[in-house]
Amino acid sequence: MEVIELFKKLVSTKSETPNDGGLLDFIAEYLSEFEAVRIDREDVKNLFIYKKFGAGEHLCFAGHVDVVPAGSGWKYDPYSATQEGEYIYGRGTQDMKSGVAAFMQAVKEAQDFKGTLSLLLTSDEEGEAINGTVKVLEYLKENAMLPDVCVVAEPTCEEQFGDAIKVGRRGSINGYLTLKGKQGHAAYPQKAINPIHQIAKPLSEMAGVDLDDGDVAFAPSKFVITDIRSGMEVTNVTPNDLKMMFNVRNNTKTTQKEVREFVAKHMGELDYELRLTQGSYPFQTDTNTKLVRKIDEAIEDVTGIKPKHSTAGGTSDARFIAPMGVDVIEFGVKNDTIHSVNERTTQKEVEDLYRVFKTLIDIWEK
């Protein structure tokens, strides 16, 4: 099976989170010469598949087979992998069945690798990510099977294929603030405590503010307000409280401590409660590591482009891999239609991604 045929097979299989659509069984069968370990947890399907060629380093390719719901308004059935000219349409074409097909084919054709090649796959990256990659990594750690380096095949390119890899990601801090007031009649504001009026001034000094200056690797951590709710949708009653939600995509300079201090500084003596949660933490892979140097070389060999090293964007399962002491980067096709109606990629991008991964395997020890 060629990589495009394989890619279309993956895309045409409906695998909305946390359903794998039977793809992990198919992958284990397709790579039957590899050892397969299923690490399913509750309704999440996980697969770790590996082959030891020699005593060298362990190179892992990681990703997910699950996709977000397709929604409506598609020009083609989102699970038909319809090709129109150079484009192939379907849910998951960019995020990230192109990456899965590319590294599946690349490792299947590997022959003279000096160490171990493996795939780490889950059906729960687009969901809560509680029983997916995290559980596989726990298993690998317990069994002394953690890889030395890892490539996550998320879509990373921006304007053209080969122009960007991710060498790190920002963390994500979620904030839930409740400002307490005292409900009252709008005609007698002096008898009430209106939290909307109270927050008006500090809000202008908080919204969209950078909490640090960033650095050469990361953009500044910005305080982004995502929701404000208060009142009973009437004109003659002032509200009893106000609820505000915010998010900070934080770099390595800002933690929950700095966020709390920022809120306290601007809220002052106001009566408020603040709760913070954090689903992911920032990480950065040293750009001088062998993994970054080799993926740069492979991309330039295939495309003629030297990729930039980026930490922009949202998050991925790389956030779970890096804390295990594993050097990790992300590289995949363009990401301009991910999660959207009529998600698509090109045949050439998928073929070139396969060539990059195949080249990476071939040059790893050279």
Side-chain angles (χ1 to χ4, degrees):
M1 187 180 291
E2 298 296 327
V3 68
I4 295 302
E5 182 183 357
L6 175 61
F7 173 54
K8 290 182 176 180
K9 160 69 177 175
L10 300 185
V11 174
S12 62
T13 301
K14 186 175 181 179
S15 56
E16 293 180 358
T17 307
N19 180 21
D20 77 326
L23 283 177
L24 296 189
D25 287 338
F26 166 75
I27 292 169
E29 182 178 352
Y30 190 72
L31 298 172
S32 58
E33 65 274 26
F34 283 60
E35 295 288 330
V37 181
R38 289 297 292 265
I39 311 165
D40 298 346
R41 297 291 184 270
E42 298 183 9
D43 58 350
V44 175
K45 307 295 189 297
N46 301 305
L47 172 68
F48 183 72
I49 187 165
Y50 66 98
K51 182 176 181 180
K52 186 172 183 177
F53 292 80
E57 292 172 296
H58 179 175
L59 168 61
C60 176
F61 292 90
H64 60 94
V65 297
D66 61 313
V67 297
V68 296
S72 60
W74 288 69
K75 65 188 297 186
Y76 302 111
D77 180 347
Y79 296 107
S80 64
T82 299
Q83 185 158 2
E84 180 185 81
E86 65 176 335
Y87 290 105
I88 300 171
Y89 288 81
R91 177 55 84 222
T93 46
Q94 288 189 340
D95 189 12
M96 59 167 286
K97 291 180 177 179
S98 49
V100 174
F103 62 54
M104 280 177 63
Q105 194 65 29
V107 301
K108 184 176 180 65
E109 296 175 5
Q111 295 180 350
D112 298 321
F113 193 72
K114 304 301 182 184
T116 298
L117 289 175
S118 67
L119 307 184
L120 190 166
L121 293 162
T122 184
S123 70
D124 187 37
E125 194 273 348
E126 299 289 6
E128 294 182 347
I130 294 173
N131 290 310
T133 296
V134 171
K135 300 301 183 184
V136 180
L137 291 168
E138 290 174 357
Y139 173 89
L140 297 180
K141 184 176 181 180
E142 290 169 0
N143 291 274
M145 297 172 66
L146 283 171
D148 297 299
V149 295
C150 184
V151 176
V152 182
E154 290 281 3
T156 60
C157 297
E158 299 172 358
E159 301 299 326
Q160 58 181 325
F161 178 76
D163 65 4
I165 68 171
K166 303 288 187 185
V167 296
R169 291 279 190 166
R170 297 173 296 174
S172 181
I173 299 173
N174 296 313
Y176 307 85
L177 185 147
T178 298
L179 178 58
K180 301 175 184 179
K182 180 182 177 182
Q183 183 176 310
H185 197 296
Y188 303 95
Q190 71 277 12
K191 296 182 180 182
I193 301 174
N194 190 332
I196 297 176
H197 290 184
Q198 286 187 315
I199 205 169
K201 184 177 185 299
L203 190 63
S204 67
E205 300 171 347
M206 298 169 71
V209 170
D210 292 341
L211 304 184
D212 56 59
D213 297 328
D215 55 31
V216 294
F218 289 97
S221 305
K222 189 179 294 291
F223 192 92
V224 177
I225 296 173
T226 58
D227 191 84
I228 298 178
R229 298 170 189 241
S230 188
M232 297 181 290
E233 298 188 18
V234 295
T235 60
N236 60 349
V237 181
T238 60
N240 195 57
D241 56 34
L242 177 147
K243 298 182 185 298
M244 183 175 81
M245 300 169 67
F246 61 88
N247 177 262
V248 177
R249 294 302 168 108
N250 64 306
N251 59 40
T252 54
K253 291 184 173 182
T254 293
T255 67
Q256 291 188 33
K257 176 178 178 290
E258 284 75 31
V259 173
R260 286 190 181 278
E261 291 173 350
F262 175 79
V263 172
K265 172 185 174 183
H266 292 286
M267 298 300 290
E269 299 301 318
L270 297 178
D271 187 7
Y272 73 94
E273 293 178 352
L274 175 64
R275 180 170 66 92
L276 299 178
T277 64
Q278 187 154 8
S280 60
Y281 293 82
F283 74 90
Q284 181 185 1
T285 298
D286 187 341
T287 56
N288 292 314
T289 61
K290 178 179 178 180
L291 176 60
V292 177
R293 289 187 284 106
K294 290 295 183 179
I295 194 71
D296 280 353
E297 183 180 344
I299 293 168
E300 192 165 8
D301 182 72
V302 172
T303 69
I305 299 170
K306 187 172 181 60
K308 72 175 184 180
H309 300 153
S310 171
T311 61
T315 189
S316 78
D317 277 358
R319 71 188 190 273
F320 303 127
I321 298 169
M324 291 289 180
V326 178
D327 285 342
V328 59
I329 61 96
E330 301 171 44
F331 179 68
V333 298
K334 285 170 59 178
N335 61 10
D336 57 337
T337 62
I338 58 174
H339 291 204
S340 68
V341 171
N342 295 323
E343 182 180 352
R344 67 183 187 178
T345 191
T346 66
Q347 177 171 332
K348 180 169 173 39
E349 283 185 71
V350 179
E351 291 172 338
D352 282 352
L353 183 59
Y354 148 73
R355 293 188 184 100
V356 168
F357 291 156
K358 184 174 175 59
T359 300
L360 176 65
I361 293 170
D362 290 342
I363 67 173
W364 186 253
E365 295 299 339
K366 294 181 181 178

